[in-house]
Amino acid sequence: MFTQDEDTIVALATAPGVGAISVIRVSGEKSIELVDKIFLGKIKLIQAHTHTIHYGRISDSNNDLIDDVLVSVFKAPHSYTGENSIEISSHGSTLIVKKIIERLVEVGARLAEPGEFTKRAFLNGRIDLAQAEAVADIINSRTEASLRGARNQLDGLLSQKVNFLRNSLINSSSLIELELDFAEEDLEFVSLNQVLIQIDEIEKEIDDLISTYKFGRIIKDGINVALVGKPNVGKSSLLNYLLKEKRAIVSEIPGTTRDIIREEVNIDGILFTLYDTAGIRETDDVIEQEGVNRSVETIKNSDVVIFLNDIQTGFSQKLFDKLKSFTDEERIIKVINKIDLNPNFSFDCDVKISAKTGEGIDELFAVLKEKALGSESYSEKSAIVSNIRHLDALKRAKEYLENAKLSIEQKLSGEFIAVDLRNAESSLGEIIGRVTSDDILNNIFMKFCIGK
Amino acid sequence: MKEYDVIVVGGGHAGIEASVSAALMGCSVALVTMDKHAIGRMSCNPAIGGSAKGHLVHEVDALGGMMGLIADRTGIQFRTLNKSKGPAVWAGRCQSDRKLYSLEAENVIANTKNLEIVEDSIVEAFEENKKIVGVKTAKGNEIKCKALVVCSGTFLNGLMYTGFNATKGGRFGEPPAVGLTESLVKMGFVSGRLKTGTPPRLLKSSINWDILEEQPGDENPEPFSMRTPKEKFPYLPQVSCHITYTSPEVHKILEKGFDRSPLFTGLISGVGPRYCPSIEDKVVRFSDKERHQLFLEPEGLDSDLIYLNGFSSSLPAEIQFEALRKIKGLENVEMVRPAYAIEYDYFPPYQVDLTLETKLIEGLYFAGQINGTSGYEEAAGQGIVAGINAALKIQKRKEFVLSRNESYIGVLIDDLVGKSTDEPYRMFTSRAEHRLLLRQDNADRRLLKYGYEFGLIPEEMYKDLQNREVLIAKSVELFSQKRISPLNINQLLESKGINKIENGEIVGKLVKRPELNLKEVLENSGFNDDEIVLELLKNPKALEQVEIELKYEGYIQRQHELVEKMEKLEKIQIPLNFNYTNLKTISAEGREKLSKVKPRTIGQASRISGVTPSDISILLVYFKS
């Protein structure tokens, strides 16, 4: 519990709207007593054991029934926030939820600010900084893979890895500091080449982490796919097929002359966001030009481009050349549509599909996935970077290590190397919320015989 | 009843600086010491300076302190350590003539105006309304004062051990100070026990010098103090140290005495320093090491004693003697005095503020080993800060706090207050995160202004620095733009075997080449008519600074990046009366330490030992929101 008179906070924990049930979460030292004021069950919740579920009724101030509910009791410190908490499962209705929350506020709770439950969990030492950020990611997860990625981080995989790297760095720094502060001692000082090797190893591991970011971002945010092709090659049919067979969710991006259609489709736990572009041919029409600009922008921001062609009209080389001026060729998947019409006719392409029959669609998504993720595959048990702040810190650490290596190569004295090693260490420390301290000296005292 | 503005207890290295600075600032000062001939007596090794310690001596000197001057006048071997490395870790060190050092120190005290020596010992301190008002001495006198600076060294309830033999005393042959600890504890202070040790003293004529490795001083010795006249330095003839080693045979003999070691048997409860372990500690902890290095340091020009650096011990004397005789060169050695360990009272330094005034009693200051430090230089650094602050307080002037990014003294005191050491604290350059900025060569640029402000540094010296600063700034600016023509410089580059330049090159860039120094570049620059260049070539001190600034520009820049990153935490204030006890989310240890230290900022909190990074994250979230 953070302070003696900590507020009790309340919020809806499930998605707003109509569903089978809704869960309302209450947290704070007095949360159990508070819910007791509006809940009528077999026993008083204050007497209930932690991790038990109780059936009862919640009534309004006039004693009129609001809903029959199930109440779960979690006692400090064994709850998500580390405080006493209650989860109320009511029938899924916006009105019921509204009434229950209003009732809780009446008896002394207040509405939680965004992220306040997680903040309390963090403040109560239930999770570390990287884990707290992962919680935000879990809440925003839209696919299973994304959820698993965030879960990994919540379990501290990234923290563990970064902590390990930071300790390696402290070992390297110790070797350098040893020679600076204990030059008079009869010690065997390490050759700088050995430090260089250590730095290289650490840097390689940082590189590996950095390279997971693409994957991390994709499992978190999904793969952005632009759909390009001449009119009538079947872009709309492809989208319609996905909508019908793969339960894609369609939305329109407003504010453009010709709105871009966006579809989100979840295949094998990965979120694909498909953008139907308006075309990229040159035009004098101002309004149309606006649409073209918008399309080019979409192509540039995409991870992969599906270049759709009609098997009847053949491969449009001109449009393909144009497309290559906006994005890397290797990001483009050449697709032939309408193979149901002329299955024996063929020309150079990556995937053949029929948006009408669905033939080849699964293969298309397999290729999409491979293009976006590359051949790299990460186990869900690897430490994965999906947060831009972490990526940034890792990149800075790498930069400092590069500087340190340069200093070693220029045969500069240890204190110059040490500046960058310290900076690198502190950059890694930022990820896991560690601050530079006496770690280096303590390490030296532990490992070397110091003292005249 | 007698009355002084300031009473300083103890005439060691902290006491000297505290009493002289307060007296020079115009306070009437009494220096209370048991024996005036013991002023400045070196309890342990006869040496001043060393890695990071040399930096402290330079800083004390720039503030107007005495240590550098005394060391310069009494040094018998001067060396600059780490000369093969960069300027930030160059560190001066000297062997001192122990007797002359003490004599010179007594001289300095005796010749300081407003400063009186009182040969006595303090047994009790008095406060009224949490303000210090006076003391009572062992001879039964009561003296009034406005400020009391306690620099008691190892004397508070000192207990010396050789084997199971325990003798009460603050130093070999001198009685302990009894009563003061108890009086302070009664006021509410918490005391602790620390341990340190000193190696045996050997008879010079009994050592076989011919077979030992010699370690001479530098050919061109550098003084510590900028006030030491170059033409008189060095004042004394210069001598060498010698080096020898222990062996597995020696270690075996030492092991025989482990069952009578007060350290291993738990008789000594005080914590000793990890960086200065006893020889038995080294044998145990690093059992795979076949030999440990020992230095034979002369105690003085006409002294027949040799200090055996590296062999501190608390084993029984006969074991020490037996082991010594198995060491190369010491086959026939006579041990004049065995090594001993000493245990003494200290007051865990979270109880003082960054001014070294205690948080509990106004006007009461602690400096030196009483704050848990080890080393003459660390003591001197605190002594001068305590003395200056005592005087400032009496004169109702603003307090004096040095920051971590401007001085090692600032690092030292911030560490003490924040981390409240539980082992004797020694300075290392790696403790200073701003190491590249805190060099011996720029101690005056960092700190002379304070020495001048407090009247401890003469005006002409300060004026001279100001003129130098102007020249440095002008030069750095000039050399960041001015180009040297290939015609002028290529001959020099060729003679050094480095790549010639094709087009004009900016001076600042050229100087970054490790093979080149600024002086030779300027002499071959063709800038013969540039006034700034001519002036700079005539001013070696300014030239050195310009060269360092240009050569290490990139590094100094990145050092600043780290400073800024850390400064962010320094800026988040914690209310003085903040109650940590309700912050149950912070680890129990973290809460306890935070409540004790009462850090002023999150930056300070982050350096407190026992406060974990997650505690800091919690404070950050708490105080940011």
Side-chain angles (χ1 to χ4, degrees):
Chain A
M1 287 135 291
F2 207 48
T3 62
Q4 294 283 301
D5 53 355
E6 183 62 70
D7 295 348
T8 300
I9 52 173
V10 55
L12 177 62
T14 46
V18 182
I21 59 166
S22 293
V23 177
I24 295 160
R25 198 186 247 170
V26 192
S27 183
E29 198 192 346
K30 301 216 167 72
S31 56
I32 302 178
E33 292 152 75
L34 223 139
V35 176
D36 260 337
K37 291 187 188 169
I38 62 165
F39 174 80
L40 191 67
K42 270 193 179 163
I43 57 163
K44 280 279 171 198
L45 296 173
I46 199 81
Q47 290 152 2
H49 291 290
T50 184
H51 294 79
T52 53
I53 299 177
H54 306 270
Y55 170 77
R57 314 173 130 209
I58 288 180
S59 307
D60 66 17
S61 48
N62 301 322
N63 252 336
D64 289 335
L65 179 68
I66 298 176
D67 196 12
D68 294 317
V69 296
L70 284 175
V71 170
S72 313
V73 177
F74 304 93
K75 293 198 168 166
H78 305 290
S79 73
Y80 173 68
T81 54
E83 306 169 326
N84 287 337
S85 328
I86 297 266
E87 285 180 11
I88 303 170
S89 306
S90 71
H91 292 99
S93 141
T94 315
L95 187 66
I96 290 174
V97 168
K98 187 170 163 265
K99 281 193 160 175
I100 294 176
I101 291 179
E102 276 172 4
R103 185 79 184 101
L104 283 164
V105 172
E106 262 175 42
V107 296
R110 74 167 165 77
L111 292 175
E113 288 157 23
E116 199 171 0
F117 286 96
T118 302
K119 180 175 151 190
R120 287 192 178 191
F122 168 70
L123 289 173
N124 287 329
R126 302 283 293 171
I127 50 177
D128 74 17
L129 204 58
Q131 287 171 323
E133 285 167 325
V135 172
D137 290 343
I138 283 186
I139 294 166
N140 295 321
S141 302
R142 281 176 295 181
T143 66
E144 258 174 73
S146 157
L147 184 65
R148 282 197 296 270
R151 269 243 80 91
N152 268 345
Q153 195 169 321
L154 188 59
D155 293 341
L157 271 179
L158 181 69
S159 303
Q160 275 171 31
K161 182 80 195 172
V162 170
N163 201 27
F164 168 80
L165 290 178
R166 182 172 172 270
N167 285 336
S168 310
L169 210 50
I170 286 171
N171 281 332
S172 302
S173 293
S174 301
L175 295 175
I176 285 172
E177 295 292 355
L178 186 67
E179 195 173 345
L180 295 175
D181 271 332
F182 306 96
E184 291 284 279
E185 305 280 340
D186 177 35
L187 295 163
E188 270 184 42
F189 297 118
V190 70
S191 81
L192 283 178
N193 269 338
Q194 201 181 322
V195 178
L196 200 60
I197 292 169
Q198 291 180 354
I199 296 177
D200 269 331
E201 278 169 15
I202 296 167
E203 197 183 341
K204 204 195 143 286
E205 300 225 30
I206 290 178
D207 277 338
D208 287 349
L209 275 181
I210 289 175
S211 69
T212 66
Y213 179 69
K214 192 174 165 197
F215 180 77
R217 190 190 62 78
I218 280 170
I219 58 171
K220 193 170 127 196
D221 299 339
I223 301 174
N224 291 324
V225 184
L227 208 51
V228 181
K230 283 182 167 173
N232 300 322
V233 292
K235 285 179 289 180
S236 308
S237 340
L238 178 59
L239 292 175
N240 282 333
Y241 176 85
L242 294 174
L243 187 64
K244 209 165 76 210
E245 300 294 325
K246 304 280 183 188
R247 298 182 181 202
I249 302 160
V250 182
S251 57
E252 287 185 2
I253 300 174
T256 52
T257 19
R258 214 197 109 182
D259 292 350
I260 287 180
I261 305 286
R262 182 176 70 184
E263 276 197 25
E264 286 187 353
V265 54
N266 179 346
I267 291 175
D268 295 340
I270 291 188
L271 183 77
F272 293 86
T273 306
L274 277 74
Y275 297 89
D276 181 12
T277 62
I280 49 174
R281 67 192 154 194
E282 273 162 41
T283 172
D284 294 334
D285 184 322
V286 182
I287 294 174
E288 206 173 344
Q289 183 58 44
E290 181 69 33
V292 169
N293 291 346
R294 185 81 195 186
S295 297
V296 169
E297 201 56 34
T298 304
I299 291 165
K300 284 181 177 166
N301 290 333
S302 299
D303 300 302
V304 191
V305 177
I306 293 178
F307 180 51
L308 206 59
N309 296 276
D310 186 336
I311 197 160
Q312 302 166 100
T313 51
F315 188 76
S316 18
Q317 189 62 43
K318 227 175 110 186
L319 187 58
F320 184 66
D321 292 341
K322 182 116 199 159
L323 185 57
K324 280 194 292 185
S325 65
F326 301 131
T327 185
D328 291 344
E329 188 169 350
E330 59 191 46
R331 288 194 190 191
I332 305 171
I333 305 177
K334 290 177 271 187
V335 180
I336 292 174
N337 190 18
K338 306 190 189 174
I339 52 168
D340 52 312
L341 294 179
N342 193 354
N344 298 318
F345 183 70
S346 179
F347 46 88
D348 177 44
C349 71
D350 301 310
V351 190
K352 296 177 211 164
I353 61 164
S354 164
K356 198 168 159 196
T357 66
E359 197 184 339
I361 299 277
D362 287 346
E363 196 198 338
L364 172 63
F365 277 94
V367 175
L368 271 178
K369 204 165 142 186
E370 198 191 310
K371 279 266 184 210
L373 298 178
S375 52
E376 307 270 354
S377 70
Y378 301 95
S379 129
E380 273 140 19
K381 298 229 164 76
S382 333
I384 291 163
V385 182
S386 61
N387 179 303
I388 186 86
R389 185 180 75 81
H390 298 163
L391 179 73
D392 222 51
L394 286 167
K395 281 187 173 165
R396 265 182 289 123
K398 180 184 158 71
E399 211 179 295
Y400 288 125
L401 291 183
E402 285 288 324
N403 285 334
K405 279 161 63 180
L406 205 68
S407 307
I408 294 177
E409 277 155 24
Q410 292 175 345
K411 300 197 178 357
L412 279 159
S413 151
E415 69 275 19
F416 298 107
I417 305 162
V419 181
D420 287 311
L421 291 187
R422 257 184 211 242
N423 272 318
E425 185 217 315
S426 115
S427 295
L428 291 183
E430 280 172 37
I431 297 177
I432 46 177
R434 266 186 185 270
V435 282
T436 306
S437 59
D438 290 336
D439 297 351
I440 295 172
L441 262 182
N442 288 334
N443 195 36
I444 290 179
F445 292 148
M446 210 166 66
K447 289 195 176 142
F448 301 95
C449 178
I450 299 299
K452 287 198 268 190
Chain B
M1 199 190 301
K2 271 225 154 193
E3 180 172 358
Y4 296 91
D5 289 334
V6 182
I7 295 176
V8 175
V9 187
H13 306 279
I16 293 167
E17 303 298 348
S19 57
V20 172
S21 56
L24 291 179
M25 286 173 75
C27 296
S28 62
V29 181
L31 176 62
V32 181
T33 172
M34 292 182 196
D35 172 3
K36 70 176 179 181
H37 301 306
I39 288 173
R41 187 172 286 171
M42 301 170 127
S43 308
C44 201
N45 62 333
I48 296 287
S51 180
K53 289 165 170 274
H55 293 74
L56 285 168
V57 180
H58 279 266
E59 289 183 359
V60 169
D61 190 61
L63 290 172
M66 297 295 135
M67 177 169 258
L69 281 170
I70 300 172
D72 286 344
R73 290 175 197 159
T74 57
I76 54 177
Q77 184 202 69
F78 288 83
R79 287 196 300 140
T80 297
L81 308 184
N82 278 337
K83 196 70 192 182
S84 65
K85 304 189 173 72
V89 292
W90 293 348
R93 184 183 188 275
C94 79
Q95 292 296 142
S96 301
D97 184 305
R98 189 189 298 276
K99 197 175 69 192
L100 293 180
Y101 192 99
S102 188
L103 263 175
E104 187 60 36
E106 191 188 335
N107 236 341
V108 164
I109 299 286
N111 290 323
T112 302
K113 228 173 66 180
N114 306 329
L115 177 50
E116 205 173 309
I117 300 172
V118 176
E119 282 191 297
D120 206 334
S121 159
I122 306 295
V123 292
E124 198 175 350
F126 303 114
E127 51 105 356
E128 269 168 27
N129 302 321
K130 299 285 171 202
K131 242 176 138 164
I132 206 80
V133 290
V135 295
K136 187 177 166 189
T137 74
K139 290 180 183 165
N141 298 320
E142 289 193 2
I143 312 173
K144 289 214 297 199
C145 66
K146 294 179 186 137
L148 176 66
V149 185
V150 185
C151 316
S152 49
T154 57
F155 278 71
L156 290 180
N157 295 320
L159 199 53
M160 297 177 288
Y161 288 93
T162 306
F164 287 162
N165 246 336
T167 319
K168 286 182 179 171
R171 183 159 50 206
F172 176 80
E174 297 176 42
V178 183
L180 187 53
T181 300
E182 293 70 19
S183 161
L184 292 173
V185 167
K186 218 159 64 191
M187 284 182 188
F189 288 101
V190 175
S191 75
R193 291 293 266 180
L194 284 179
K195 172 234 145 183
T196 188
T198 192
R201 308 302 198 267
L202 312 176
L203 188 67
K204 192 175 180 179
S205 57
S206 69
I207 295 167
N208 185 2
W209 296 103
D210 297 339
I211 60 167
L212 293 176
E213 187 184 324
E214 187 182 346
Q215 187 190 42
D218 286 350
E219 256 174 57
N220 299 306
E222 289 279 335
F224 284 108
S225 176
M226 59 188 122
R227 287 168 284 165
T228 291
K230 285 246 177 190
E231 63 280 6
K232 286 193 180 164
F233 180 83
Y235 290 79
L236 300 174
Q238 301 292 293
V239 300
S240 289
C241 293
H242 289 77
I243 297 172
T244 187
Y245 298 91
T246 62
S247 65
E249 198 187 359
V250 174
H251 299 170
K252 266 214 188 88
I253 297 170
L254 292 169
E255 279 167 19
K256 286 197 308 188
F258 282 3
D259 58 345
R260 280 165 288 160
S261 153
L263 205 63
F264 295 150
T265 53
L267 202 61
I268 293 182
S269 56
V271 183
R274 285 173 298 175
Y275 48 82
C276 193
S278 61
I279 187 71
E280 53 266 33
D281 231 2
K282 286 193 265 190
V283 169
V284 171
R285 285 186 52 212
F286 300 95
S287 52
D288 55 328
K289 247 191 135 185
E290 295 213 326
R291 60 174 209 179
H292 295 282
Q293 184 177 245
L294 304 171
F295 290 84
L296 295 138
E297 301 180 357
E299 292 246 328
L301 289 176
D302 59 4
S303 166
D304 51 6
L305 291 184
I306 293 296
Y307 175 95
L308 186 60
N309 196 343
F311 203 83
S312 82
S313 175
S314 57
L315 292 174
E318 62 273 18
I319 297 281
Q320 292 183 31
F321 182 63
E322 198 185 332
L324 284 176
R325 286 234 163 169
K326 295 293 177 198
I327 294 171
K328 185 184 167 191
L330 306 184
E331 294 82 0
N332 297 307
V333 78
E334 290 303 327
M335 182 170 73
V336 181
R337 225 160 41 225
Y340 62 85
I342 181 163
E343 216 187 15
Y344 54 96
D345 292 338
Y346 84 116
F347 288 81
Y350 64 85
Q351 300 173 98
V352 295
D353 202 351
L354 297 171
T355 56
L356 297 181
E357 185 174 23
T358 62
K359 289 170 182 165
L360 199 58
I361 303 292
E362 219 181 308
L364 177 61
Y365 297 80
F366 292 161
Q369 275 167 309
I370 189 171
N371 280 334
T373 57
S374 144
Y376 311 143
E377 306 78 0
E378 286 83 349
Q382 293 168 69
I384 195 160
V385 169
I388 289 171
N389 272 308
L392 289 175
K393 177 123 199 177
I394 289 167
Q395 292 159 2
K396 298 194 165 47
R397 291 157 69 185
K398 194 173 156 275
E399 64 177 26
F400 173 52
V401 171
L402 283 168
S403 73
R404 292 182 76 89
N405 59 24
E406 67 184 340
S407 66
Y408 274 92
I409 298 176
V411 172
L412 170 70
I413 296 175
D414 183 70
D415 275 353
L416 288 178
V417 175
K419 294 176 183 163
S420 202
T421 187
D422 47 16
E423 73 173 330
Y425 178 105
R426 189 197 134 167
M427 186 48 75
F428 294 103
T429 67
S430 56
R431 294 198 196 268
E433 58 276 33
H434 314 308
R435 175 167 52 198
L436 294 185
L437 311 177
L438 309 183
R439 305 185 304 270
Q440 283 193 167
D441 64 71
N442 68 1
D444 54 346
R445 296 181 70 191
R446 292 183 279 122
L447 303 176
L448 201 73
K449 54 178 184 271
Y450 301 119
Y452 171 66
E453 182 190 334
F454 304 135
L456 306 174
I457 287 288
E459 184 167 11
E460 66 268 28
M461 193 167 255
Y462 182 61
K463 283 262 164 68
D464 180 54
L465 172 70
Q466 282 185 311
N467 292 334
R468 208 181 325 141
E469 288 290 3
V470 173
L471 180 58
I472 293 168
K474 273 192 202 159
S475 305
V476 169
E477 202 199 330
L478 179 71
F479 298 147
S480 65
Q481 299 158 10
K482 204 169 169 79
R483 288 176 189 274
I484 286 190
S485 136
L487 289 173
N488 289 314
I489 198 76
N490 271 346
Q491 203 187 341
L492 175 71
L493 300 182
E494 209 174 354
S495 73
K496 296 233 164 192
I498 47 181
N499 288 344
K500 291 193 277 185
I501 55 171
E502 306 222 326
N503 303 308
E505 178 70 288
I506 289 171
V507 181
K509 256 182 145 175
L510 202 62
V511 172
K512 288 197 175 64
R513 299 193 184 186
E515 303 87 349
L516 293 174
N517 69 53
L518 181 59
K519 185 162 182 267
E520 60 192 3
V521 167
L522 292 182
E523 282 166 351
N524 291 279
S525 62
F527 302 155
N528 303 333
D529 51 354
D530 191 308
E531 268 178 42
I532 296 175
V533 173
L534 292 176
E535 207 186 327
L536 189 63
L537 281 170
K538 277 186 282 181
N539 190 332
K541 276 184 168 177
L543 186 75
E544 183 186 27
Q545 293 304 305
V546 174
E547 173 161 17
I548 290 171
E549 282 191 24
L550 294 175
K551 254 189 184 322
Y552 307 113
E553 193 189 0
Y555 292 92
I556 291 172
Q557 177 56 37
R558 289 207 292 285
Q559 177 84 82
H560 280 296
E561 283 174 27
L562 191 65
V563 173
E564 277 162 31
K565 210 184 280 180
M566 297 190 157
E567 291 271 281
K568 273 186 207 153
L569 292 183
E570 305 297 326
K571 283 191 187 130
I572 306 173
Q573 303 265 338
I574 301 177
L576 211 62
N577 52 358
F578 185 74
N579 187 355
Y580 293 93
T581 49
N582 289 336
L583 269 167
K584 297 231 166 51
T585 59
I586 287 185
S587 63
E589 190 191 359
R591 237 180 308 146
E592 187 204 326
K593 293 282 174 68
L594 287 163
S595 309
K596 260 173 152 182
V597 176
K598 298 194 185 307
R600 295 182 182 193
T601 64
I602 298 229
Q604 202 187 343
S606 73
R607 293 186 291 269
I608 298 173
S609 61
V611 174
T612 67
S614 66
D615 294 341
I616 292 303
S617 315
I618 289 164
L619 288 180
L620 270 176
V621 174
Y622 192 82
F623 287 109
K624 268 184 175 171
S625 55

